[in-house]
mmCIF file of all heavy atoms in Angstrom:
data_model
loop_
_atom_site.group_PDB
_atom_site.id
_atom_site.type_symbol
_atom_site.label_atom_id
_atom_site.label_comp_id
_atom_site.label_asym_id
_atom_site.label_seq_id
_atom_site.Cartn_x
_atom_site.Cartn_y
_atom_site.Cartn_z
ATOM 1 N N ALA A 1462 -7.957 20.017 13.734
ATOM 2 C CA ALA A 1462 -7.123 19.905 12.551
ATOM 3 C C ALA A 1462 -7.895 19.169 11.463
ATOM 4 O O ALA A 1462 -8.682 18.278 11.742
ATOM 5 C CB ALA A 1462 -5.841 19.172 12.881
ATOM 6 N N LEU A 1463 -7.623 19.542 10.265
ATOM 7 C CA LEU A 1463 -8.266 18.903 9.125
ATOM 8 C C LEU A 1463 -7.570 17.592 8.781
ATOM 9 O O LEU A 1463 -6.357 17.478 8.948
ATOM 10 C CB LEU A 1463 -8.213 19.828 7.915
ATOM 11 C CG LEU A 1463 -8.957 21.153 8.059
ATOM 12 C CD1 LEU A 1463 -8.693 22.048 6.858
ATOM 13 C CD2 LEU A 1463 -10.437 20.906 8.222
ATOM 14 N N PRO A 1464 -8.312 16.574 8.270
ATOM 15 C CA PRO A 1464 -7.684 15.307 7.877
ATOM 16 C C PRO A 1464 -6.553 15.508 6.867
ATOM 17 O O PRO A 1464 -5.550 14.812 6.899
ATOM 18 C CB PRO A 1464 -8.829 14.510 7.275
ATOM 19 C CG PRO A 1464 -10.046 15.059 7.921
ATOM 20 C CD PRO A 1464 -9.752 16.526 8.131
ATOM 21 N N ALA A 1465 -6.691 16.491 5.988
ATOM 22 C CA ALA A 1465 -5.658 16.736 4.983
ATOM 23 C C ALA A 1465 -4.345 17.197 5.615
ATOM 24 O O ALA A 1465 -3.287 17.072 5.018
ATOM 25 C CB ALA A 1465 -6.133 17.780 3.974
ATOM 26 N N ASN A 1466 -4.404 17.703 6.827
ATOM 27 C CA ASN A 1466 -3.204 18.180 7.516
ATOM 28 C C ASN A 1466 -2.659 17.175 8.518
ATOM 29 O O ASN A 1466 -1.773 17.507 9.299
ATOM 30 C CB ASN A 1466 -3.510 19.496 8.234
ATOM 31 C CG ASN A 1466 -3.914 20.581 7.254
ATOM 32 O OD1 ASN A 1466 -3.448 20.589 6.137
ATOM 33 N ND2 ASN A 1466 -4.791 21.455 7.688
ATOM 34 N N ALA A 1467 -3.168 15.958 8.522
ATOM 35 C CA ALA A 1467 -2.764 14.959 9.515
ATOM 36 C C ALA A 1467 -1.398 14.354 9.211
ATOM 37 O O ALA A 1467 -0.819 13.707 10.066
ATOM 38 C CB ALA A 1467 -3.806 13.860 9.600
ATOM 39 N N CYS A 1468 -0.879 14.541 7.984
ATOM 40 C CA CYS A 1468 0.439 14.022 7.591
ATOM 41 C C CYS A 1468 0.525 12.504 7.749
ATOM 42 O O CYS A 1468 1.521 11.970 8.228
ATOM 43 C CB CYS A 1468 1.545 14.720 8.367
ATOM 44 S SG CYS A 1468 1.610 16.487 8.049
ATOM 45 N N LEU A 1469 -0.521 11.793 7.353
ATOM 46 C CA LEU A 1469 -0.523 10.342 7.425
ATOM 47 C C LEU A 1469 0.271 9.713 6.291
ATOM 48 O O LEU A 1469 0.765 8.600 6.427
ATOM 49 C CB LEU A 1469 -1.959 9.812 7.435
ATOM 50 C CG LEU A 1469 -2.809 10.279 8.622
ATOM 51 C CD1 LEU A 1469 -4.243 9.794 8.471
ATOM 52 C CD2 LEU A 1469 -2.206 9.813 9.935
ATOM 53 N N LEU A 1470 0.389 10.421 5.172
ATOM 54 C CA LEU A 1470 1.191 9.972 4.027
ATOM 55 C C LEU A 1470 2.166 11.071 3.672
ATOM 56 O O LEU A 1470 1.859 12.253 3.818
ATOM 57 C CB LEU A 1470 0.310 9.702 2.798
ATOM 58 C CG LEU A 1470 -0.672 8.549 2.871
ATOM 59 C CD1 LEU A 1470 -1.536 8.538 1.615
ATOM 60 C CD2 LEU A 1470 0.040 7.235 3.031
#
Side-chain angles (χ1 to χ4, degrees):
L1463 297 173
N1466 298 328
C1468 298
L1469 299 175
L1470 294 174

